[in-house]
Amino acid sequence: GQGVDEPLSATGFRQADAAGLFLSNVKFTHVFSSDLLRAKQTAATILGKNKFCKDLEIKYDARLRERKYGVAEGRPLTDLKAMAKAAGEQCPSFTPSGGETLDEVRERARDFFEFLCQLAVELEQKEQDMHGAARSSSGTSQEELVFPWTNHCSEAELSSDNCGTSKMLDANILVVSHGAYMRNWLGYFVSDLSCTLPANLTKSQLSSVSPNTGVSHFIIKLENGNLLKPEITCVCLNQDSHL
């Protein structure tokens, strides 16, 4: 949750190191992290391994915090399940006293995603102002956009229309957050924005919480800067081959 702001454990740092090595050849234009310590340490560790953007500023945002679990924070998961059972509810949708509802978490995710889309549109507008009508990237070359998980994806997902491996990107954004929060964010992408999912993704994978340092990759297209209808393709979800 949010109330217990513990640092990463030794295992957590090893996982963050592994994620950093996994992503070391990806050039990011922006990095955002939850302002909780475990996420901040993960983001810093990942950047520390990167070949292109070690000195990129990490921006911390409270909208990326884990779901707030109220009176259940700092207690074993078995306690949360017992609270849910006593209330006659299932654990994922149960809201402990003082906690956030799933709708409230999703609203935070929606607000942050719309902020990212606005950021990307403003970047493109700046590029056009600087270079006329010609569309330009943010100084990224194809060699720096080779994503390490491409061998886990279908050809359709990695076509030149959808993937930065063959097309320059306006923004390539790393977001470091938390498991329950990101599961809600994905729910928002799928139910509200009709996100295209990998063909081999099962329902249980769709509803599961990402493992620590699991990597998910989304391609976001904003045709003509249209913020109301983003086209979203999930290239991979909760990828953990680096662990």
Side-chain angles (χ1 to χ4, degrees), residues 50-67:
N50 197 277
K51 294 179 181 177
F52 303 105
C53 42
K54 279 186 173 65
D55 298 324
L56 194 61
E57 179 188 3
I58 302 172
K59 296 185 178 179
Y60 304 111
D61 198 305
R63 289 174 292 184
L64 292 172
R65 286 182 180 180
E66 180 60 288
R67 183 184 180 190

Side-chain angles (χ1 to χ4, degrees), residues 49-156:
K49 300 286 185 183
N50 197 277
K51 294 179 181 177
F52 303 105
C53 42
K54 279 186 173 65
D55 298 324
L56 194 61
E57 179 188 3
I58 302 172
K59 296 185 178 179
Y60 304 111
D61 198 305
R63 289 174 292 184
L64 292 172
R65 286 182 180 180
E66 180 60 288
R67 183 184 180 190
K68 185 178 180 181
Y69 283 95
V71 295
E73 292 192 343
R75 296 167 64 175
L77 180 60
T78 51
D79 286 7
L80 178 63
K81 290 180 176 178
M83 291 178 195
K85 186 175 181 179
E89 295 184 41
Q90 295 295 316
C91 194
S93 57
F94 171 66
T95 303
S97 176
E100 281 182 296
T101 66
L102 294 182
D103 285 342
E104 287 171 334
V105 177
R106 184 173 294 197
E107 181 61 22
R108 276 201 285 129
R110 182 196 64 78
D111 188 56
F112 184 76
F113 177 65
E114 290 180 353
F115 157 75
L116 289 185
C117 290
Q118 182 64 50
L119 174 70
V121 169
E122 289 174 358
L123 276 174
E124 185 167 20
Q125 288 172 343
K126 285 180 182 177
E127 289 289 345
Q128 288 179 349
D129 290 343
M130 289 172 62
H131 303 290
R135 191 171 182 272
S136 171
S137 76
S138 302
T140 51
S141 69
Q142 286 186 349
E143 293 77 23
E144 294 160 357
L145 291 172
V146 177
F147 299 113
W149 49 87
T150 52
N151 59 325
H152 299 276
C153 311
S154 70
E155 288 183 14

Side-chain angles (χ1 to χ4, degrees), residues 157-193:
E157 287 159 354
L158 295 172
S159 70
S160 59
D161 289 337
N162 287 329
C163 190
T165 53
S166 53
K167 180 181 178 182
M168 292 191 182
L169 303 177
D170 292 304
N172 193 27
I173 303 171
L174 173 66
V175 177
V176 180
S177 185
H178 307 268
Y181 175 88
M182 291 188 293
R183 179 171 60 183
N184 279 270
W185 192 343
L186 179 65
Y188 161 64
F189 272 6
V190 173
S191 62
D192 292 22
L193 300 178

Side-chain angles (χ1 to χ4, degrees), residues 14-26 28 45-46 49-51 146-152 213-217 236 238-243:
R14 285 196 297 271
Q15 292 170 331
D17 279 338
L21 289 171
F22 186 60
L23 299 171
S24 61
N25 287 314
V26 182
F28 297 105
T45 302
I46 290 172
K49 300 286 185 183
N50 197 277
K51 294 179 181 177
V146 177
F147 299 113
W149 49 87
T150 52
N151 59 325
H152 299 276
T213 69
V215 175
S216 297
H217 181 197
C236 65
N238 302 339
Q239 170 71 35
D240 64 351
S241 62
H242 54 285
L243 295 178

